[in-house]
Amino acid sequence: MELDEALDPLRRVLLERDLGGYPGTVSAAVEAARTALAGGADTPGLWELGVLSESDASEARRLLFQLEQELWPALRLPTTFEGRDRALARYCLRDLLDGRLDPLVAAERIGFELCPFDDPGSPLWPVRGWLHRADDQQEHHGGLTKELVAELHDLAARLLAGPLS
């Protein structure tokens, strides 16, 4: 495993942390540290985080801040809100295509949380259009059709290959 690939879970935890100020779970941060260590990264903060208990969220926050400073050049985190949102959208789209995230959950996160509400020129804007069709379909047909889910998968693949690559 290359170092950049090994740092990817930590990158994601740090991006998620910026949304709420803390990792989604301490276990996600601990697992990210272990993956980074296994991939060749070696800092004191990674070793500390890699053995942290699930109940120590405040220490996880401190260590994540420390790791961000220790590994800043290697992490290549976006420095703008737009960059962070697009990076998180890429993760959501990959999770959708890999089957790790429900289509509606992925689309709602991208369309409502990560897409600028006032920028119809955003590459994420088509996800909002898909959500409107999905809402209509759920209201009138009782759920999402396979065709509509396939449309979202096609849109995700296009976004990952194009404007979000």
Side-chain angles (χ1 to χ4, degrees):
M1 174 184 313
E2 290 186 30
L3 181 60
D4 190 57
E5 183 183 344
L7 289 174
D8 201 48
L10 180 60
R11 197 174 286 120
R12 184 176 188 164
V13 166
L14 289 167
L15 289 167
E16 295 281 357
R17 178 208 60 187
D18 285 345
L19 287 178
Y22 52 89
T25 65
V26 175
S27 62
V30 169
E31 188 58 37
R34 290 177 180 166
T35 300
L37 287 164
D42 190 7
T43 72
L46 282 174
W47 286 101
E48 285 183 62
L49 184 57
V51 297
L52 200 63
S53 75
E54 178 69 32
S55 63
D56 206 347
S58 63
E59 184 65 5
R61 281 192 294 276
R62 183 191 71 75
L63 288 168
L64 286 171
F65 179 78
Q66 178 182 329
L67 286 169
E68 189 172 18
Q69 305 311 305
E70 290 175 351
L71 296 168
W72 181 257
L75 289 169
R76 296 180 330 278
L77 293 171
T79 57
T80 65
F81 288 119
E82 179 184 2
R84 184 210 59 212
D85 290 349
R86 286 188 181 190
L88 286 170
R90 279 191 298 275
Y91 285 116
C92 280
L93 292 168
R94 287 185 199 132
D95 287 350
L96 166 70
L97 292 175
D98 292 344
R100 291 185 300 236
L101 197 55
D102 177 77
L104 198 53
V105 170
E108 286 175 345
R109 175 133 199 243
I110 293 165
F112 296 138
E113 291 179 39
L114 303 174
C115 178
F117 71 92
D118 59 350
D119 182 9
S122 167
L124 300 175
W125 198 262
V127 176
R128 285 186 175 212
W130 184 91
L131 280 167
H132 289 297
R133 289 193 313 280
D135 283 344
D136 183 57
Q137 194 170 87
Q138 285 185 306
E139 185 177 324
H140 295 95
H141 302 289
L144 300 177
T145 64
K146 290 179 184 178
E147 292 80 16
L148 193 61
V149 172
E151 281 182 37
L152 182 61
H153 283 186
D154 290 344
L155 175 58
R158 284 196 314 273
L159 287 171
L160 287 171
L164 296 181
S165 62

